[in-house]
Amino acid sequence: MEDFDVQFEDNDESETNGSYDGSTPETPFSTKNIKVNTQTIALSTLIARLEYDEIDLQPSFQRKSGLWTNSQMSRLIESILLKMPLPIFYFDVADPDKWLVVDGLQRLSAIKRFAVPQSVDCKRVNPLKLTNLEFLTDLNGNGYKDLPRPMQRVIDETQVVTYQIEPQTPKEVRYSIFNRINTGGLKLNAQEIRQALNQKGVAVNFLKEICDSPVFKKVVNIKTERMLDRELVLRFFAFRLLKVDDSFKGLSPFLDRAMERIDEETTISPQLELLKQEFEDALLMSEELLGSNHKFSKAIIGEGKNSLNRSLFDVLTVSLSLVKDKKAFCKHKNQFKKELIDMIEDETSLFFQAIFQGTSSKRAVVDRFKEMNQLIKKIENLT
């Protein structure tokens, strides 16, 4: 089966408080909780950490390392040899044995490929040889070991500024720091940040397991390298595990809490196993009701089949998972589909606004679930 080349609707959930209810985001934490330490260290210290795998350059949450060309990497090494200052590196040092890169992934990847001995990193088969240098052209073709000792010493003794997010920094502060600071060409999105900050329990592997399941691939079948498939799954678990009450301050912190809730578990509990089964049952039920290619998109009404709507996804999967007699319900699938289409096409309806406009606000969330539950009860009353 080929992957569905998914696109997400431009006006769909961006995980920020939308204008739907006119709400203003509240300050999520006190500034006194921000614990970031500034350390100037020798580049040799970072090289040693890279050599002994004490900086994770291939974490499951991260955008890919090694995206720079050989020329881009070589120019970075040339800048070091010319004693030009390097941009600041940001690390989360909550685990002192395995730093997380917040900003500087491509630079660290280039330094590792050039300066870390081949024998230590057996997976890396092509050590960097300098190329297309602008000033030190006589060094083209040289690797680290080929450089004269004075130049090797320049690299080793280069001082770099690091900002280190200290272990006592609260989780909600870390979310904000990750979101604000990472500045690479592929900035971390909200779900990638969640993957970064919740790796002690089962959350990361649990979401991956579901996304890799035959049912998810069959019904949703999306292709994404930015963890958006994990976000879709997390939405379901968030609304089944947590309540949308007065503590709800927007969808993004709501999903943050759900990720943390799952990651509290060191093994997959019976509750999570049950919810996983109910999620897969809901996916299969959606296909029975709406057709095999609906993809939680406007394909339901015959258009925009490649634009998956995340709000439509969460309200459908969660609501259908709670239907008691799914077999009896599906006997009225034509009626359900007709009325759902009417709700999606009516731009004045609460449901339309709640899945297309400012969809992360509490009001939008409450409205779309209220409207969907009313439709489901109406169909259930036909059985």
Side-chain angles (χ1 to χ4, degrees), residues 159-221:
Q159 299 295 298
V160 295
V161 178
T162 66
Y163 285 174
Q164 301 178 15
I165 306 170
E166 298 181 4
Q168 65 266 39
T169 306
K171 181 69 71 69
E172 64 269 22
V173 180
R174 293 175 186 275
Y175 283 121
S176 183
I177 292 174
F178 266 65
N179 187 52
R180 290 168 180 266
I181 290 177
N182 70 93
T183 60
L186 288 175
K187 185 175 180 179
L188 291 176
N189 62 38
Q191 186 58 33
E192 289 169 326
I193 294 171
R194 292 184 197 106
Q195 304 273 127
L197 297 178
N198 295 279
Q199 299 193 43
K200 292 184 178 180
V202 302
V204 170
N205 289 333
F206 182 62
L207 295 183
K208 181 180 185 300
E209 176 185 316
I210 296 174
C211 291
D212 290 340
S213 69
V215 172
F216 187 85
K217 287 182 175 293
K218 175 179 182 290
V219 179
V220 186
N221 196 26

Side-chain angles (χ1 to χ4, degrees), residues 15 21 62 65 72 77 83-84 88-89 133 142 145 149 219 221 233 235 237 269 275 311 349 378:
E15 292 194 18
D21 65 351
Q62 248 309 5
S65 63
Q72 289 173 306
I77 303 303
K83 300 184 180 181
M84 295 180 179
I88 293 170
F89 293 89
L133 298 181
N142 280 253
K145 292 298 184 182
R149 175 56 194 156
V219 179
N221 196 26
V233 176
R235 282 169 174 258
F237 282 89
S269 66
L275 288 177
S311 298
S349 71
K378 181 178 180 179

Side-chain angles (χ1 to χ4, degrees), residues 137-162:
T137 54
D138 57 320
L139 297 180
N140 280 328
N142 280 253
Y144 177 80
K145 292 298 184 182
D146 303 318
L147 295 178
R149 175 56 194 156
M151 288 191 172
Q152 292 180 356
R153 192 167 59 246
V154 168
I155 293 174
D156 294 341
E157 295 178 354
T158 291
Q159 299 295 298
V160 295
V161 178
T162 66

Side-chain angles (χ1 to χ4, degrees), residues 178-344:
F178 266 65
N179 187 52
R180 290 168 180 266
I181 290 177
N182 70 93
T183 60
L186 288 175
K187 185 175 180 179
L188 291 176
N189 62 38
Q191 186 58 33
E192 289 169 326
I193 294 171
R194 292 184 197 106
Q195 304 273 127
L197 297 178
N198 295 279
Q199 299 193 43
K200 292 184 178 180
V202 302
V204 170
N205 289 333
F206 182 62
L207 295 183
K208 181 180 185 300
E209 176 185 316
I210 296 174
C211 291
D212 290 340
S213 69
V215 172
F216 187 85
K217 287 182 175 293
K218 175 179 182 290
V219 179
V220 186
N221 196 26
I222 64 174
K223 182 180 181 180
T224 173
E225 295 180 346
R226 300 303 309 276
M227 301 296 168
L228 295 180
D229 52 348
R230 270 65 157 182
E231 181 203 312
L232 290 177
V233 176
L234 181 63
R235 282 169 174 258
F236 172 84
F237 282 89
F239 287 111
R240 290 299 308 270
L241 290 170
L242 306 176
K243 294 182 179 179
V244 179
D245 53 22
D246 290 341
S247 66
F248 187 93
K249 303 301 181 184
L251 188 57
S252 191
F254 185 69
L255 295 180
D256 294 345
R257 286 197 291 128
M259 189 77 175
E260 293 164 19
R261 163 66 182 81
I262 298 171
D263 204 52
E264 290 172 356
E265 304 195 25
T266 55
T267 59
I268 299 175
S269 66
Q271 181 190 23
L272 290 182
E273 286 286 8
L274 177 60
L275 288 177
K276 175 186 174 184
Q277 185 60 56
E278 291 181 355
F279 174 63
E280 293 184 348
D281 290 345
L283 289 177
L284 293 172
M285 186 178 179
S286 75
E287 202 171 56
E288 172 69 18
L289 293 169
L290 304 172
S292 59
N293 292 311
H294 70 84
K295 305 303 179 189
F296 303 94
S297 70
K298 286 186 177 179
I300 295 171
I301 61 175
E303 62 179 71
K305 68 178 182 178
N306 283 347
S307 298
L308 185 148
N309 183 294
R310 283 171 272 190
S311 298
L312 186 59
F313 180 93
D314 64 46
V315 74
L316 274 172
T317 55
V318 172
S319 300
L320 293 178
S321 74
L322 295 171
V323 172
K324 296 276 193 264
D325 191 341
K326 292 179 171 55
K327 185 176 181 180
F329 190 97
C330 287
K331 290 180 180 179
H332 303 279
K333 63 183 180 182
N334 291 337
Q335 180 73 12
F336 175 80
K337 184 174 182 179
K338 178 183 179 301
E339 300 220 14
L340 178 60
I341 288 174
D342 289 342
M343 291 165 62
I344 294 174

Side-chain angles (χ1 to χ4, degrees), residues 38-53:
T38 305
Q39 292 281 351
T40 300
I41 60 178
L43 190 56
S44 59
T45 300
L46 290 183
I47 292 173
R49 278 190 164 270
L50 290 169
E51 182 174 350
Y52 290 99
D53 198 28

